[in-house]
Amino acid sequence: MSRILNHRMRLSLRKPSWSCVDKRAVAFSVWTGRSVLLHKPLDSYQIPRRKYGMLIARAVRGVLKIRYLLLGGAVGGGMTLNKKYAEWKDGLPEMGWLNDLLPDNEQWEKFTTTLLDAKGKIGDQLQIVGVPLTLSITPDPRLREAGAARAAELRDWLSQRYEDAVAAAAVNNATSSIEPAPKIVNNLQSRPAPMSAKPNTDEKEAYERRVHALQEEVLSLQARYQRELQRLEQENRELRQQNMLLRQGRQPSTKKMRRSLIDMYSAVLDELADWDSGEAGRLPRVVVVGDQSAGKTSVLEMLAQARIFPRGAGEMCTRAPVKVTLSEGPYHVAQFNDSSREFDLNKESDLADLRKEVELRMRNSVRGGRTVSTQQIAMSVKGPGIPRMVLVDLPGVISTQTVDMAADTREAIKEMTKQYMDNPNAIILCIQDGSVDAERSNVTDLVSSCDPSGKRTIFVLTKVDLAEENLANPNRIRRILEGKLFPMKALGYYAVVTGRSRKDDSIQSIREYEERFFRSSKLFKDGMVAAGQVTTRNLALGVAECFWRMVRDSVEQQADAFKAMRFNLESEWKNTFPRQRELDRDELFERARAELLDKSAELSGVPAAAWEARLQNALWAAAAQRIFAGIYLPAAANASDDVDKFNTSVDIKLREWAENELATLSIQAGRQALREEFSELMSKSSDSDAIYDPVKKAAVDEALARHQWEERAQDVLRVLQVNALQDRCVASRAEWDSAVSLMEDALKERLKLTEDELKSLTGPGFRDRWLYWQSSNEEQNRRAEVKSELERLGSNRPSLTYDEVVAVRDNLRRRGVEVDNEYIRQTWKPIYLKHFLNRALSRARDCRKSFYLYTQQNGTGKECCEVVMFWRVQSALRTTANALRQQIGNREAGRLDRELREVLDEMSSDPELKKKLLSGRRVELAEELKRVRQVQEKLEEFIEALNKEK
């Protein structure tokens, strides 16, 4: 049994089973295809291939892992998005107020019903001409009444025009001898010449063409009316929205409101006012010219639909150019360009105020004995149905001057009129009075000289109702409107009626009278005048069309001219001032103002020691002459070496000086020190531009001239100075030495002045004659002889006796020098003064070492009394300097700063003064660059808006 077991054990050792193979060996065998134990292929042992199976298992396991990753990412991303959405929702503003602003369902139903009613009403009103109309807007209730009146007016006018055209066509069909009426589609084109009678076929074709033209005109008017209503409705919606916001207590949006096209153009013209730049700046505008009392202002008022200008009883009304910008708007208002007040032209009180304001501005512009002025008055008028254009009303041309006019009035008016008409892009609106003889016209020749071809002239014949009554030959008016009576040529001819010579007539009543007149006028009925040539309404349409056509044709050219000008100016600046900013006059002034105010603020930071040193120097410079000539020298001369007498005289004179003069002198010295300190602060700014210096100097001088020291400061100084001068006890050696130094310096300075005076009287000395080749004149030689003779007498007395003078004169006469007694005394004064100053200087040197002796005598000693006097003066000046410094720091520096600010404010509001102080090519070039850039930007803005409107 044991053998069998041993045999099996040996067999098991020879052939090992797969159950006892290590897992790592199996894995390696599967991977490499070879047996680790036997070093033979596994195929020889018939092991199954599990390579591909295990790869598939791994792939399935990876896919299952991706599923879990995707599921987890989706859950996490959803939670993150939910959190972000909650944060974004919390950050949104509260929009609940929109529920109050937006209308509810009931209001929407009312609004829809109103639209349908408006569609039916406007369609009924405009179906009288056989043209269908589709509208989808509703006028604002505030404008409902005005819109109904305008619709009725338009209906009546279209009906009358249609009836007149049909009647004229019927007359043409009945009688072939009457010439057909010219076209009324465009009055600004040449009228067709009269045609002779043609066959019926040609007449029918002409009739059809006229009817077709009439229908086209009606369609254009209908479209214009619809666009007007759309604009008004849009503005009304904005106003209603703002009104609702205001009612709810919220302010409307403060974003910049969009300006109208004509307002942009008017702003460009304002920038170009008084522009003198050759071809640049010649933008179109309508220039209204005519003889005095021809009706220029009345025509302008008809275009503005309000009586906005004052009336004169036979005298000149327009004394200055008036630029009026007409534009459309929801309300009829007027406003001056330099004022924020709006005048409601529907109220008589506002109209009266407006006329008074215009008259006041005109009278203010003609001061100085002048009758007319070139200063332009700019205003704007807005209202429903007003044509968009810019007009300039000029003073009427006169032929005779009255005694109350300036001598150059007639020529000044002609020059002004010609200056405006010489603009090649200006539209000349020539106004001619139809009630006077055409031969009396002064303006037609002037217009013809400026526009010989008539390509930019529109002729307007006013007061046609009076002309028809007074003229025996109606063909004369026809010839005027055909351009055959006057030598001038025009782009179009119009006949209007602007009033009935009554001031109280409103614009509406005048317009109704004008339309009634032309309906019943023989000129219109007989076909002498085309329908498009009459009424101010047609005139407004024609002028506006011509104005905008010329604007579109010329604005691009003007923009290019300003671009070229800007390029040239920028190139000049870069070449001339390469490293400097382009600062105009206002910016330079503001920089100079800032520097001045900064330096003014630094006054309070000056150290006390510096202030006191400057003030003491200023005080001594102001008081030195008075101390020597009025106190020291008289006291020394009268004392004659009597110390008590000298001290008494000094006490009296010092007290009088302190009570009467010293306080005022100290204030003057304080102002001088303040000026010097401020000037020194200004000079320390090395980085300051030299162009600011004239502004700084003018402002500082004016501020210091206005600056007045506080009145009570003198009283305070007087008390301090009297008390300081009464003290005669020098307390310390330092003060004694300081007084001696002051005395020595003062004596040396005075001695030098005396020697210079003697030198100028007696001529150069021996050294100067030999070294510098100087010589004396006859007068100096005479003085030198007198000096030498006086020095023999001795110079220790302040004055000469009569006997001494006679003796000196006799001695000089023996030497051949003739002089009088006064001449000798005048020569004696500087000689004695020189001798006295030398002795005083010697005493001062000796007194420098005498302080100990002075203290031993407790200040009662009589030695060195001159030093004590100078110490008293120095103590008074030191006390004064300290008081002045405190006054400057506490009050005067602040008052000076306020006065400097006031001066700068006044200078900033004076353009002429700034122009005088800030001049030179640098400033002028920067000013031109700024102005050209502003004009170019406004022109580009206007061109962009103009292209959008196209």
Side-chain angles (χ1 to χ4, degrees), residues 87-106:
E87 292 177 357
W88 175 78
K89 185 177 180 181
D90 295 338
L92 287 176
E94 178 61 30
M95 304 297 289
W97 59 274
L98 285 176
N99 298 328
D100 299 333
L101 179 62
L102 295 176
D104 53 13
N105 295 331
E106 184 179 354

Side-chain angles (χ1 to χ4, degrees), residues 438-451:
E439 292 77 10
R440 295 168 57 184
S441 175
N442 298 311
V443 73
T444 52
D445 294 338
L446 193 61
V447 172
S448 180
S449 64
C450 295
D451 185 25

Side-chain angles (χ1 to χ4, degrees), residues 409-472:
T409 301
R410 179 171 55 188
E411 295 301 325
I413 293 175
K414 286 186 178 180
E415 289 297 326
M416 185 194 311
T417 305
K418 194 170 182 180
Q419 179 183 1
Y420 276 89
M421 291 192 302
D422 283 341
N423 181 1
N425 296 322
I427 302 171
I428 304 174
L429 196 62
C430 181
I431 309 298
Q432 174 63 36
D433 190 351
S435 62
V436 299
D437 295 336
E439 292 77 10
R440 295 168 57 184
S441 175
N442 298 311
V443 73
T444 52
D445 294 338
L446 193 61
V447 172
S448 180
S449 64
C450 295
D451 185 25
S453 60
K455 293 182 179 180
R456 52 189 180 90
T457 301
I458 298 176
F459 184 87
V460 181
L461 187 66
T462 61
K463 305 178 184 179
V464 183
D465 52 344
L466 300 179
E468 189 176 77
E469 294 177 2
N470 299 333
L471 292 179

Side-chain angles (χ1 to χ4, degrees), residues 99 665 750 765 882:
N99 298 328
L665 191 69
R750 192 72 179 180
N882 186 27

Side-chain angles (χ1 to χ4, degrees), residues 842-859:
S842 177
R843 290 194 299 271
R845 295 193 185 99
D846 294 338
C847 288
R848 184 178 289 277
K849 303 176 182 179
S850 303
F851 178 70
Y852 178 75
L853 180 63
Y854 173 80
T855 56
Q856 291 298 320
Q857 297 175 355
N858 295 324

Side-chain angles (χ1 to χ4, degrees), residues 485-498:
L485 185 61
F486 291 107
M488 60 170 290
K489 298 180 182 180
L491 189 63
Y493 297 84
Y494 288 90
V496 297
V497 176
T498 57

